[in-house]
Amino acid sequence: MNATTNRYTTPASVTAQIAGLPDLQMAEIRSLWKELFRSDTPIYNRQYLERRIAYRLQEIEFRKVDRNLMDRNARRIKTIIETGQNKKRDRDHRPVAGTMLTREYKGIIHRIVVTPDGHYDFQGRMYPSLSMIAREITGTRWSGPLFFGLKPSATKPTSKKGVRR
């Protein structure tokens, strides 16, 4: 029995399935696409296919509605209707359950998956915050949302674009 058959009879975690996508042969990628989307692959761009498959796997696994996300969206929609403008995002940078965050640090790629209970799965261990994971990776204190690119740096880069002389 090969790994592909075994994966379907004993489902691995979504994290493991997504992490294993780069190891699959292109024929296996196309087969998995057909199973998930009930159609042939629209193109043969491997990167595109892997990303869409990863998204679909997460979509299937984490179908549950995130109440916080729904509330935030309702507030934003109300603001847009009232003011006609899309104001700055809420300060809450928590990603939706099932989101996979990827960060390369010192040549090593680190993957973190957001769980439905609001925690973070990193290397099979659960963490309550991204900052704890960033510290684990770097050995120094970091803002987790900043380290993983969920919020911009406080310092703005200087740009000469738009400056008239």
Side-chain angles (χ1 to χ4, degrees):
M1 186 184 317
N2 65 29
T4 305
T5 306
N6 190 24
R7 183 182 60 225
Y8 300 119
T9 56
T10 310
S13 73
V14 171
T15 308
Q17 289 178 33
I18 293 169
L21 289 175
D23 299 330
L24 296 177
Q25 297 294 320
M26 192 60 177
E28 293 173 303
I29 292 285
R30 287 193 301 264
S31 173
L32 183 55
W33 178 280
K34 191 163 192 149
E35 180 181 327
L36 292 171
F37 293 96
R38 306 279 186 240
S39 69
D40 291 328
T41 57
I43 61 174
Y44 291 96
N45 180 315
R46 184 180 181 100
Q47 185 179 31
Y48 171 83
L49 297 175
E50 284 182 16
R51 286 180 179 174
R52 291 293 312 271
I53 288 171
Y55 184 89
R56 181 70 178 137
L57 289 170
Q58 292 174 74
E59 186 179 51
I60 292 167
E61 180 68 23
F62 301 106
R63 285 185 186 157
K64 301 171 188 140
V65 175
D66 181 350
R67 190 72 235 154
N68 292 330
L69 178 64
M70 299 299 283
D71 292 342
R72 277 194 312 246
N73 284 344
R75 285 193 309 270
R76 289 183 73 199
I77 290 168
K78 182 179 177 188
T79 301
I80 291 169
I81 291 171
E82 290 173 355
T83 66
Q85 296 178 350
N86 188 3
K87 298 284 184 190
K88 217 161 99 175
R89 289 182 66 190
D90 289 347
R91 289 184 139 277
D92 186 3
H93 298 288
R94 287 175 291 173
V96 177
T99 301
M100 177 178 281
L101 303 171
T102 305
R103 168 69 194 260
E104 182 178 348
Y105 184 76
K106 292 190 176 181
I108 300 171
I109 296 176
H110 302 278
R111 290 186 175 91
I112 291 84
V113 175
V114 182
T115 61
D117 62 1
H119 287 85
Y120 304 93
D121 181 351
F122 174 59
Q123 297 179 339
R125 294 183 309 235
M126 300 304 289
Y127 290 83
S129 75
L130 287 173
S131 298
M132 290 178 74
I133 298 171
R135 185 175 188 183
E136 177 88 13
I137 293 169
T138 65
T140 60
R141 292 190 184 272
W142 265 86
S143 159
L146 183 63
F147 182 78
F148 289 102
L150 297 177
K151 75 176 194 178
S153 174
T155 60
K156 295 189 180 196
T158 57
S159 172
K160 293 185 179 186
K161 219 176 197 181
V163 175
R164 293 184 181 201
R165 294 183 183 205

